[in-house]
Amino acid sequence: MRRRALAGAVAGGAAVALAAGAGLVLTSWSSSASGAPAKLAVSGGYIPQPLLTDMAAAYFTVTNSGGTAAQLTSVTTPLAAHVTLHTTTGTTMRQVASLTVPAGGKLALGTGADHLMLEDLTRKPPVGDKVTLTLHFAHATPATVNVTVPVRPTTYTPEG
């Protein structure tokens, strides 16, 4: 538990986001009252070089221009044995089963907020390395999306 608290502090101090190139779009079909499917785009990210040899944090933004909310249920990567989804309130990090991308809104993973923890790293990636993350969404077609994420220095601050 102490290790996870330290990892949360490290994650809060070092932001991570995804680079999805020209933008990746997913469409999610639902039987919601609006009938409009979720339309998801993943953008703008990076992974700061991990301070620890076995843990890293990741952040990115998913925009939903559709009429149905979508659920990010898990993330996988060859870089880590496990990836967990977390939310942060104040100084408390809590693991969650899913993160919601609201209809007509955004899920912004960032420092001190919702984020991913990459646990049991297979290696410590150097600055400049590219890491593939596969995002899994409930009730989305397709249900997964691959994005390539650059590793940045721990001092990197995203614009915007």
Side-chain angles (χ1 to χ4, degrees):
M1 196 57 134
R2 176 179 251 168
R3 186 176 200 178
R4 285 190 186 231
L6 173 61
V10 169
V16 183
L18 296 178
L24 204 52
V25 178
L26 289 174
T27 301
S28 172
W29 300 100
S30 170
S31 59
S32 71
S34 72
K39 187 173 181 183
L40 307 175
V42 181
S43 64
Y46 71 98
I47 291 178
Q49 185 179 35
L51 297 175
L52 303 172
T53 58
D54 63 342
M55 242 180 219
Y59 303 97
F60 51 86
T61 298
V62 181
T63 303
N64 183 356
S65 59
T68 302
Q71 297 293 318
L72 176 63
T73 57
S74 65
V75 177
T76 55
T77 179
L79 181 63
H82 309 283
V83 179
T84 53
L85 310 173
H86 290 85
T87 188
T88 303
T89 306
T91 58
T92 304
M93 178 176 77
R94 178 174 58 91
Q95 185 173 336
V96 294
S98 66
L99 295 169
T100 301
V101 187
K106 292 181 180 184
L107 169 63
L109 280 63
T111 304
D114 296 336
H115 62 278
L116 304 179
M117 291 303 302
L118 286 64
E119 302 171 2
D120 300 323
L121 298 180
T122 57
R123 62 186 173 78
K124 185 176 178 179
V127 171
D129 199 6
K130 304 283 186 201
V131 177
T132 299
L133 298 176
T134 302
L135 284 62
H136 304 270
F137 293 90
H139 311 297
T141 305
T144 62
V145 62
N146 290 316
V147 292
T148 301
V149 189
V151 177
R152 305 280 190 203
T154 57
T155 56
Y156 177 77
T157 303
E159 295 179 21

